[in-house]
Amino acid sequence: MAMNERYEPRSLEPRWQRRWEEAGAFRAGRRPGAEPRYVLEMFPYPSGAMHMGHARVYTIGDALARHLRMRGFDVLHPIGFDALGLPAENAAIKDGRHPGERTRENIVSFRAEMKKLGYAFDWDREIVTADPEYYRWNQWFFLRMLERDIVYRRQGKANWCTGCNTVIANEQVLEKDAVRVCERCSSPVLEKVIPEWAFRITRYARSLLDGLDRLGAWPERITTMQRNWIGLSQGAEVRFAVAGSAETIPVFTTRVDTIYGCTYVVLAPEHPLVASLTAPERRAEVEAFAARMRRTDAAERTGESAPKEGVFTGARAVNPFTGEEVPVWIANFVLAEYGTGAVMSVPAHDQRDFEFARKYGLPVRTVIQPEKGERTPPGDRLQAATTEDGVLEASGPFTGLGSEKARRVMSDHAQASGFGRATERWHLRDWGFSRQRYWGTPIPIVYCDDHGAVPVPDADLPVVLPPQAIITGTGEPPLAKVPEFVKTTCPRCGKPARREVETMDTFVDSSWYYARYLSPQDGARPFDPEAAKRWLPVDVYVGGPEHAVMHLLYFRFWHRVMRELGLVHEDEPVERLVTQGIVNGADGRKMSKRWGNSVAPGPMVDRFSADTLRLFILFAAPPEKDIDWSDEQVEGLFRFLGRVWRIFHARQDCFAAPEAALAGAAGEFLELRRRTHRTIQKVTEAFDTDLKFNTGIAALMELVNALYAAEPGAEADRSAVREALVAVAALLSPFAPHVAEELWHEVLGAPARDRLLGDEPWPAFDPALVAADTVKIAVQVNGKLRGEVQAAVSAGEAEVRALAEADGKVRAHLAGKAVRKVVYVPKRLINFVVG
RNA sequence: GGGCGGGUGGCGGAACUGGCAGACGCACUGGACUUAGGAUCCAGAGCCGCGAGGCGUGAGGGUUCGAGUCCCUCCCCGCCCACCA
């Protein structure tokens, strides 16, 4: 039966989608004997409809998953929905609906769109975090972590919106003109100290930091961001005595080598010692300053644009190295929560200290000289602080030491003398995860008058979120207003008690979902550790780089906890991370309603085809780069698929050509064969290395162009064409799976009726055909291109040189000049250097 | 201020360890086929120049037979963090 003349995706795509589904083609575990591969994309947050960004992540992951399946692996490629959380709750409040209802609708629409795009997901493993059977395990983990003191209750600083009267998440705080405001109501956001639950992620700081060294297959910028975020500072703690008092002020410094240049000490205004050491005559001014700082928002107070300001306390501290007395100040730029909340100021070698010293007329003393180059002038003539390491001067017994050595020696000295020691500080803070919100996992705690905070027993899990609650986004947590939820009995004594009304941060849900996919129906435990042994770590994880220091750090933390619980065995959850760029509008700006430049995937599939959209996404740029939407480019890719279709149609007579005749291919058909095999190599390498599918697709286009150029006559020609056509279908299938499947079946005909292309082996290339037998060699005279010659691969320098010198143009440039030198790069170029 | 990416035709992007810059696609131009073409196929195309040739990878310098690629100085753009002691 003759094949359809035209590419008609509208009927073709749903047909194959149905066929794949009926065959259970993408079910993981179908090849128990094969090596496993786990390809994961960040699951979507369905607070709205699916957008191009989603299409991009899933298309990248899907190409990889489909390819690996053809390489013979047992591939796990699951999908689910990150359904709980603040954005969904806010969206629901906005249109007066229940978040659950809204989310359910969005999930239905997402699912339909994803199926329309033909993603090879194992839908049997779909998870939805809003399902109590999912979040019960959040609660279970909470209890295990509580037992291990990884969860604790603390007084924490939260963002308090003065308009909504509630705590909001960091992500909801916008910075406008150095003022922090609420993204919803634009009211100022203040810091408010309230009790909250927190994860002791800082206990894992060292492990999270060291682990980064082993994540060689992660983008460096992501590991760097995590490294900075974890923020290890190695330094020293040095205790300054307070003159005329028994108190001491511990300061943390990374530059103890500069301590002989310390001319004052600064405390945070909230520092506990401020009250006791302030001199009576300074008290009024100091208290006024501290009070003003308390009222000022943190961002405003410590933002870089904020001017440095402070007041003298009247007290003096004693530098333990020199015995010198220096004044003690308080200032806005010193943070109570970092280090010891006190700094030793060395204005000559720290820019902040320098600016502060100049402003208040404090002395500046140079104690570090550069190893080479211009000397640093004395403090009074200094224009700016010099912060580089160097050689110590005017530093007592340490004078002449290099900074690095001095830090070690001086820390040891401090320790031996009992006034300090080498120590380290971390930037990472514990993860406060309670939310005064409704749409989250209820925290499984019961408050009893006699027993305090009592954990809910495992047997009583899940603590189910009540379906009805009044969600206004203001005042106390919504759950507090649901009496049938709050009222319970104490698990210990049975007396009336109240449930915790806070819920968990959404990031809890996404911290371990990759493991739930392994046994999504498991009712006895979060997941099956045996399955984890087979599938983890995730081989490739695709998602946006915006999660660098939130989700991607949290899930590494959670993985460590799961390992302590014996659930998983490897160090890290994800072997390789791929961060994909943004899909911008055609105008190069981020797609948004505001600019009216959004393009939704669904309508594009309707207008062109899923294969077209997928191809556009992959061809526009390598995965990690941002891309701009382009209607013209999309049309171009649609045309390409039509072109592929037509060449198959035009070469139907080659479909039956025998493979045995391939060896007879000669001339341009031997060239075609070479190109076919080089294309296989090129596309295969893209999958094996950098996932630059754009160049792989370009190679496929070249092969198609070559097919157009070749008119087969002899049987061997037709066999070569057939070989190319089969390769095109197979190589195209990870990118444009529907049309590839159809074309493959057209070529193969009856023998392939019951098979699927995705189950076929990935094409192999013949190394003998990939290697060329002749090469083009560029001929240069004095480094300038003057011609090119064809030479056999086996040709030596003398032969190539003779060929080159025979070239007319080259001869003209060589005429009358002495050849001083000839540079010959085999298989590439020959360069005559003439004088 | 710090960290990490980038800067290549009209546009998106290619270019392995220094070796023919601009693959592939878009837009564009010409031709063929056509009642028609915004379909399709073929061809052209970095810039200047009729041409020989010259000039070209953000700017300037350097190393080299040869630099988009390596080194130095600087400019611009993006993202993340940001008074972290």
Side-chain angles (χ1 to χ4, degrees), chain A residues 19 120 122 325 405 441 525 575 651 656 711:
Chain A
R19 179 87 188 266
D122 182 351
E325 284 190 11
K405 179 158 192 211
T441 303
R525 55 209 166 166
E575 186 74 25
R651 297 289 180 263
E711 284 290 341

Side-chain angles (χ1 to χ4, degrees), chain A residues 92-110:
Chain A
I93 292 169
K94 212 186 234 166
D95 46 46
R97 305 184 53 197
H98 189 278
E101 194 189 331
R102 228 194 106 100
T103 304
R104 241 186 329 272
E105 280 177 19
N106 288 337
I107 289 175
V108 168
S109 124
F110 256 87

